[in-house]
């Protein structure tokens, strides 16, 4: 059985393990700290400029409860393609809405409606 010398608490575990192990352990702790504070690569990419939807596209948002509901109505003379942009959730992909038609979506907390963009 391995017997470790009795050391005062102020010397700690790294003193028992030796300088090489201490350096490796310290490097690992620093690396772990840097990883914890780094941002994901996706967050570093610049978002593309959003294109506004035409004025003939109307939105009706009900966000009074736990579940939000959005209805988008196309009053344009032709079909439109829109994407629902959400905060804290994955955006709703581009959807074609024919002239004179409406499409509804709903999502739960923590999602929040951030806008509608043209596809």
């Amino acid at each position: 059985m391995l017997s470790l010398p009795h050391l005062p608490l102020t010397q700690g575990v790294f003193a028992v393990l030796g300088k090489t192990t201490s350096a490796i352990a310290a490097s690992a702790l620093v690396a772990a700290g840097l990883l914890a504070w780094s941002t994901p690569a996706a967050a570093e990419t610049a978002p593309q400029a959003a294109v506004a939807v035409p004025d003939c596209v109307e939105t009706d948002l009900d966000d009074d409860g736990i579940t939000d509901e959005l209805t988008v109505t196309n009053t344009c003379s032709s079909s439109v393609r829109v994407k629902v942009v959400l905060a804290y959730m994955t955006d709703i992909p581009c959807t074609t809405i024919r002239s004179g038609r409406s499409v509804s979506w709903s999502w739960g907390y923590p999602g929040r409606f951030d806008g509608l963009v043209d596809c």
Side-chain angles (χ1 to χ4, degrees):
M1 173 171 232
L2 177 64
S3 161
L4 295 176
H6 294 283
L7 298 172
L9 282 174
T10 55
Q11 288 183 314
V13 174
F14 293 131
V16 173
L17 297 176
K19 290 182 181 179
T20 304
T21 306
S22 296
I24 293 170
S27 297
L29 289 173
V30 169
L34 291 175
L35 288 174
W37 288 100
S38 66
T39 57
E44 294 173 7
T45 59
Q48 294 183 355
V51 177
V53 295
D55 290 337
C56 52
V57 176
E58 301 169 358
T59 60
D60 180 26
L61 177 65
D62 177 5
D63 59 357
D64 289 337
I66 294 175
T67 300
D68 294 352
E69 185 171 329
L70 173 69
T71 300
V72 178
T73 303
N74 178 9
T75 62
C76 304
S77 59
S78 60
S79 296
V80 294
R81 284 186 50 80
V82 297
K83 174 181 170 180
V84 178
V85 179
L86 299 174
Y88 311 114
M89 291 188 82
T90 303
D91 295 345
I92 297 172
C94 293
T95 303
T96 300
I97 306 174
R98 296 187 345 213
S99 178
R101 302 291 179 143
S102 297
V103 176
S104 295
W105 296 274
S106 62
W107 56 88
Y109 180 83
R112 184 188 74 214
F113 178 64
D114 258 5
L116 198 63
V117 294
D118 191 32
C119 294

